[in-house]
Amino acid sequence: MIKKLSMTTLAIRTKLFDYIRSANDKKVKAIFTILENEIAETANWWEDKTLVADFDKRFSDWESGKDKGFSIKELKNEIVKHKASKNG
């Protein structure tokens, strides 16, 4: 049980994704039923004032030049590095 508590969120997500990918229809429906309300709440992200305010601030910072953001090339390089560190 201690091992499970020390898992990172990324490791937990990976295990859940792997499980759901191979689970039978009945199990997938059961998981969805358990999480359905949470999923519905997060589906309407535009109603979350804190999240929208954060998006607005980030956009304003990018638009003003305060935050330069990332180019597609930089983003792809970061993804490659992340995948390499995950697999290596």
Side-chain angles (χ1 to χ4, degrees):
M1 187 68 166
I2 294 173
K3 183 179 180 184
K4 290 181 183 178
L5 293 176
S6 66
M7 289 175 61
T8 65
T9 303
L10 179 60
I12 294 168
R13 282 189 177 119
T14 302
K15 284 184 137 331
L16 287 170
F17 289 149
D18 291 343
Y19 179 78
I20 291 169
R21 234 179 272 133
S22 62
N24 66 37
D25 291 350
K26 185 177 177 180
K27 289 180 181 177
V28 171
K29 288 176 184 177
I31 293 167
F32 182 78
T33 300
I34 292 169
L35 299 174
E36 190 171 9
N37 289 337
E38 179 71 22
I39 292 168
E41 289 174 15
T42 58
N44 298 334
W45 59 266
W46 56 89
E47 294 175 359
D48 182 336
K49 292 179 182 180
T50 304
L51 182 62
V52 171
D54 183 52
F55 286 162
D56 287 343
K57 182 185 180 320
R58 289 172 184 247
F59 180 74
S60 294
D61 288 349
W62 173 77
E63 200 172 37
S64 71
K66 184 176 179 182
D67 183 343
K68 73 174 188 92
F70 295 94
S71 69
I72 296 296
K73 183 178 180 179
E74 290 170 323
L75 186 57
K76 286 181 180 179
N77 288 340
E78 288 298 315
I79 291 169
V80 168
K81 283 196 298 190
H82 176 73
K83 285 182 177 179
S85 69
K86 184 178 172 185
N87 295 328

